C-alpha cells in the first residue's frame, strides 16, 4: 500500500488519480474473491475439496448439468479416496455419474465432476460422501438443487398473444355497448353488487373449504386461495357474448370486480394466508391496474367509434363473435401446449384436478343459484354465474410467482393453470346445446351462436310496412285497427 500511496502523491491529475484508485480497488477485490474461493470447503488428510460451482444450483427440466469439485492432493500416492453423490429424491433429480476415484500422482489440483439430470419441478438435495483410501468414511455434505421450467419463451409469446386478443375483443365489446343500459345499471347496481358478493365472499369461502377438505396446507393450497380471491377474468365477457348473456352487465361486473380486488385480495390474504405459507404475499396491484386499463381504454375507443362511424362499428359487431371463437380455440390449444409440466403434476398431486374442477364448476352453479334467489332473470343470472366462475388466472399466477422463488411459484401456479384449462368445457357444452336448440327451433342454423339478429328482423319489418302502404285501405278498414 505504501508503494501505491507514493504513486498517488506523484500524480497531480485527478482523473488519473481516480483511475488508479479504482483499478487498485478492483485488483484488491478480485484477489480477495479468488482467495476466498480457493479455500477448501472440506479438509481431509489425503486431499482437500472445494466447490467450483456456486450455490444455489438450478437445473432445467430434462436438462443435465455438471457439479464440479476441485481436488487438492496432500499425498501423491495414487488412489487416495472416493467421492459418492446420492440424490435425496430421484423423482426430482437423478445423478448420472458413478462414484469418482481421487487419483493423486503428479498434479496437485484435479477437477472431478458429477452429471445431474433434472427430472421434474421441485427442490431437493444431493449428498456428497467422502471416503478415504481404505474406504473409511471421512465426511458428507448436502447440496441444494432446484429444478425449474425449461422454456419460458413460448409461455411469454402465449401471454402476449392472449393480451392482444383481449384488447381487440374489448374494443369490439365497446362497439356493442349501449350507454343508456350502462347508465341504468349504474343507477341501480344490484346485479353488479351480487356479482361482487359472489366473487369476494362466496368464492374465497369455497376455496378455503375445498383446500381444507383435501388437506392442502401447502403452496398448492395457497394457490387455490389466491385463485378464489382473484377478480373476474376477461374471458367472462367473451363467454357472455357467445352464450347470449347481458354483455353490458358483464363489462360492468368485470370493472367493479377489478376495482374491488385492490382491497379484497389483501384483506383475504392477510387473514388466512398463514394457514398455508410463512412468506408474505404481495398483491400485484400493477397487474390489476393494467387489467383495468386493458378493459377500459379499448371499450371507450369502441364507444367513440360507434358514435363517430356507426357503419364501421356495425361491421366490427358482426366479426367480434367469430374472433371470440378463434380466441377460445387458441387459448385451449396453446394453453395446453405451453404448460405441459402441469399434466405431470396431476399424476404427482392427485388433488389438483378435483379441486380445480370444484372451485370453477361450483362457482358457476352457486353464482347462478344465488342470482336466482335474489330474483334476477335468467339472462342476468347466467351473466353473474359466468363472472363468478371465471377468475383472472393472470393475477393469481403473477402473485404466486412473485411470492415464491423458482420453482415454488410454478408449482403453486399449477392449480390456477389447471382451473384455466377446465374453465371452458361446461360453457362449450352449454353453447353446443344452445346452438342445437336454435337449429331445431328455426329448422336451420342461420348463424353460429344464435338466430337472426335484430338488423335482419328490422329489414323484414320494413318490407312488410312497404307492402302495407301499397294496399288500398278505406277509413272503415283503418278504424278497425284502433283499440
Amino acid at each position: 500500500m505504501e508503494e501505491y500511496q507514493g504513486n498517488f502523491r506523484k500524480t497531480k491529475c485527478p482523473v488519473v488519480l481516480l483511475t488508479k484508485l479504482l483499478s487498485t480497488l478492483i485488483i484488491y477485490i478480485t484477489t480477495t474473491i479468488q482467495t476466498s474461493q480457493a479455500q477448501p470447503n472440506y479438509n481431509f488428510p489425503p486431499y482437500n475439496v472445494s466447490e467450483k460451482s456456486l450455490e444455489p444450483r438450478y437445473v432445467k427440466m430434462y436438462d443435465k448439468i455438471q457439479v464440479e469439485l476441485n481436488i487438492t492432493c496432500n499425498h501423491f500416492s495414487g488412489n487416495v479416496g472416493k467421492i459418492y453423490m446420492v440424490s435425496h429424491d430421484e423423482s426430482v433429480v437423478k445423478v448420472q455419474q458413478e462414484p469418482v476415484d481421487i487419483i493423486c500422482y503428479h498434479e496437485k489440483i484435479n477437477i472431478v465432476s458429477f452429471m445431474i439430470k433434472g427430472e421434474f419441478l421441485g427442490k431437493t438435495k444431493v449428498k456428497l460422501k467422502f471416503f478415504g483410501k481404505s474406504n473409511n468414511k471421512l465426511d458428507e455434505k448436502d447440496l441444494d438443487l432446484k429444478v425449474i421450467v425449461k422454456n419460458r419463451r413460448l409461455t411469454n409469446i402465449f401471454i402476449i398473444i392472449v393480451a392482444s386478443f383481449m384488447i381487440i375483443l374489448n374494443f369490439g365489446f365497446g362497439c356493442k355497448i349501449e350507454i343508456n343500459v350502462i347508465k341504468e345499471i349504474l343507477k341501480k347496481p344490484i346485479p353488479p353488487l351480487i356479482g361482487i358478493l359472489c366473487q369476494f365472499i362466496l368464492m374465497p369461502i369455497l376455496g378455503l373449504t375445498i383446500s381444507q377438505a383435501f388437506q392442502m396446507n401447502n403452496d398448492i393450497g395457497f394457490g387455490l386461495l389466491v385463485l378464489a380471491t382473484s377478480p373476474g377474468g376477461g374471458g367472462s365477457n367473451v363467454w357472455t357474448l357467445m352464450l347470449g348473456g347481458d354483455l353490458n352487465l358483464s363489462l360492468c361486473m368485470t370493472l367493479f370486480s377489478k376495482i374491488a380486488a385492490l382491497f379484497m385480495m389483501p384483506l383475504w390474504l392477510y387473514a388466512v394466508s398463514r394457514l398455508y405459507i410463512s412468506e408474505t404475499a404481495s398483491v400485484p396491484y400493477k397487474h390489476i391496474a393494467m387489467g383495468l386499463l386493458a378493459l377500459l381504454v379499448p371499450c371507450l375507443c369502441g364507444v367513440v367509434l360507434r358514435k363517430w362511424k356507426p357503419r364501421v362499428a356495425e361491421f366490427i359487431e358482426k366479426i367480434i363473435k367469430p374472433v371470440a371463437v378463434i380466441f377460445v380455440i387458441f387459448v385451449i390449444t396453446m394453453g395446453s401446449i405451453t404448460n405441459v409440466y402441469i399434466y405431470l403434476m396431476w399424476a404427482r398431486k392427485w388433488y389438483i384436478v378435483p379441486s380445480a374442477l370444484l372451485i370453477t364448476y361450483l362457482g358457476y352453479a352457486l353464482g347462478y343459484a344465488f342470482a336466482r334467489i335474489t330474483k334476477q332473470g335468467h339472462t342476468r343470472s347466467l351473466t353473474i354465474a359466468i363472472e363468478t366462475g371465471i377468475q383472472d388466472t393472470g393475477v393469481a399466477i403473477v402473485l404466486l410467482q412473485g411470492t415464491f422463488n423458482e420453482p415454488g411459484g410454478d408449482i403453486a401456479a399449477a392449480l390456477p393453470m389447471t382451473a384455466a384449462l377446465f374453465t371452458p368445457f361446461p360453457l362449450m357444452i352449454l353453447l353446443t346445446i344452445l346452438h342445437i336448440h336454435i337449429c331445431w327451433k328455426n329448422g336451420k342454423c342461420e348463424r353460429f351462436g344464435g338466430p337472426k339478429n335484430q338488423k335482419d328482423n328490422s329489414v323484414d319489418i320494413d318490407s312488410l310496412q312497404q307492402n302495407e302502404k301499397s294496399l288500398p285501405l278505406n277509413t272503415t278498414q283503418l278504424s278497425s285497427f284502433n283499440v
Side-chain angles (χ1 to χ4, degrees):
M1 290 298 294
E2 293 179 358
E3 181 181 352
Y4 288 120
Q5 289 175 0
N7 293 332
F8 291 152
R9 290 192 189 101
K10 295 177 183 179
T11 305
K12 296 182 179 180
C13 179
V15 177
V16 177
L17 180 64
L18 182 60
T19 304
K20 289 187 176 182
L21 178 61
L22 289 175
S23 62
T24 304
L25 290 174
I26 291 171
I27 293 171
Y28 175 75
I29 293 171
T30 305
T31 305
T32 304
I33 293 174
Q34 291 176 349
T35 304
S36 62
Q37 289 182 344
Q39 292 178 353
N41 301 110
Y42 321 107
N43 301 320
F44 310 117
Y47 58 89
N48 298 333
V49 182
S50 62
E51 299 174 31
K52 189 174 181 180
S53 303
L54 297 177
E55 296 187 75
R57 294 178 180 84
Y58 294 89
V59 56
K60 295 181 179 180
M61 283 181 60
Y62 311 125
D63 282 358
K64 297 179 181 179
I65 64 169
Q66 284 187 341
V67 176
E68 296 183 335
L69 303 175
N70 289 332
I71 307 297
T72 303
C73 298
N74 297 326
H75 302 284
F76 299 95
S77 56
N79 191 333
V80 296
K82 291 182 178 181
I83 300 179
Y84 292 81
M85 178 174 280
V86 181
S87 174
H88 284 220
D89 188 352
E90 291 194 349
S91 64
V92 178
V93 166
K94 282 187 177 179
V95 179
Q96 303 291 323
Q97 187 76 22
E98 295 295 326
V100 175
D101 292 325
I102 301 175
I103 308 297
C104 293
Y105 282 117
H106 304 291
E107 297 182 1
K108 185 173 179 61
I109 298 178
N110 298 315
I111 296 176
V112 298
S113 61
F114 291 87
M115 191 67 70
I116 291 177
K117 181 183 177 183
E119 292 290 329
F120 193 71
L121 290 182
K123 301 177 183 179
T124 188
K125 296 177 182 293
V126 292
K127 187 182 291 294
L128 287 170
K129 297 181 179 180
F130 306 101
F131 289 83
K133 185 175 182 179
S134 58
N135 206 25
N136 58 312
K137 187 174 180 181
L138 302 174
D139 199 357
E140 61 182 31
K141 168 71 174 179
D142 286 334
L143 302 179
D144 294 323
L145 279 171
K146 299 179 180 180
V147 181
I148 61 176
V149 176
K150 185 172 184 178
N151 186 8
R152 290 193 176 276
R153 183 177 299 176
L154 189 61
T155 303
N156 294 334
I157 294 173
F158 172 71
I159 293 171
I160 292 171
I161 296 175
V162 169
S164 303
F165 258 116
M166 287 308 305
I167 291 174
I168 294 170
L169 289 170
N170 287 334
F171 177 72
F173 297 154
C175 295
K176 293 178 69 69
I177 284 177
E178 300 176 14
I179 300 299
N180 294 331
V181 177
I182 296 291
K183 289 180 180 178
E184 290 298 322
I185 293 175
L186 295 178
K187 287 180 181 178
K188 297 179 180 180
I190 295 176
L193 291 177
I194 294 173
I196 288 177
L197 288 175
C198 292
Q199 195 83 54
F200 295 107
I201 302 298
L202 179 65
M203 291 298 286
I205 293 175
L206 182 61
L208 281 170
T209 304
I210 294 172
S211 66
Q212 295 302 311
F214 287 109
Q215 298 181 354
M216 298 164 57
N217 298 321
N218 52 17
D219 47 1
I220 297 179
F222 182 68
L224 176 60
L225 173 66
V226 171
L227 175 67
T229 58
S230 296
S236 60
N237 311 132
V238 177
W239 282 106
T240 298
L241 172 69
M242 296 177 65
L243 292 172
D246 191 337
L247 181 61
N248 296 290
L249 175 60
S250 179
L251 291 169
C252 287
M253 290 176 62
T254 302
L255 177 63
F256 287 6
S257 175
K258 291 187 182 299
I259 294 174
L262 298 172
F263 309 97
M264 295 302 296
M265 283 192 76
L267 180 63
W268 275 106
L269 295 178
Y270 176 78
V272 297
S273 63
R274 297 177 184 177
L275 296 175
Y276 304 94
I277 60 171
S278 58
E279 292 89 343
T280 302
S282 56
V283 178
Y285 294 104
K286 182 179 178 180
H287 191 84
I288 298 174
M290 291 298 294
L292 279 171
L293 290 176
L295 173 66
L296 283 175
V297 174
C299 283
L300 290 176
C301 291
V303 171
V304 172
L305 181 66
R306 184 173 181 175
K307 291 289 184 181
W308 183 45
K309 295 285 185 180
R311 292 185 179 180
V312 178
E314 289 178 3
F315 173 75
I316 294 175
E317 286 183 41
K318 292 179 181 179
I319 66 172
I320 196 65
K321 189 171 289 187
V323 172
V325 173
I326 295 172
F327 169 73
V328 170
I329 295 173
F330 173 79
V331 169
I332 293 174
T333 54
M334 288 301 297
S336 302
I337 294 172
T338 55
N339 299 300
V340 176
Y341 77 92
I342 293 177
Y343 308 136
L344 300 175
M345 286 200 66
W346 294 350
R348 297 167 181 265
K349 309 286 185 180
W350 64 269
Y351 47 79
I352 290 180
V353 173
S355 56
L357 294 176
L358 286 173
I359 191 66
T360 304
Y361 297 169
L362 286 180
Y364 290 141
L366 295 178
Y368 185 86
F370 190 72
R372 295 296 284 178
I373 290 172
T374 53
K375 299 182 179 180
Q376 301 299 313
H378 167 72
T379 302
R380 287 190 168 182
S381 298
L382 175 64
T383 305
I384 292 171
I386 294 173
E387 189 72 23
T388 303
I390 297 180
Q391 309 293 101
D392 193 337
T393 54
V395 171
I397 292 170
V398 170
L399 189 150
L400 292 170
Q401 291 183 343
T403 301
F404 302 102
N405 296 323
E406 287 189 289
D410 293 313
I411 295 173
L415 200 142
M417 290 181 181
T418 302
L421 290 176
F422 286 104
T423 291
F425 291 111
L427 302 177
M428 292 172 65
I429 294 172
L430 184 59
L431 180 63
T432 304
I433 295 172
L434 179 63
H435 187 51
I436 294 172
H437 172 73
I438 292 171
C439 291
W440 181 267
K441 185 177 180 180
N442 296 343
K444 62 179 181 177
C445 295
E446 295 290 343
R447 296 176 183 274
F448 181 80
K452 291 183 177 181
N453 57 17
Q454 293 180 354
K455 184 179 179 181
D456 296 334
N457 293 335
S458 64
V459 173
D460 296 335
I461 292 172
D462 292 339
S463 62
L464 288 174
Q465 289 176 350
Q466 290 177 0
N467 292 334
E468 289 176 0
K469 289 179 181 179
S470 64
L471 294 175
L473 298 176
N474 55 31
T475 55
T476 305
Q477 291 172 323
L478 288 173
S479 63
S480 65
F481 288 99
N482 297 330
V483 178

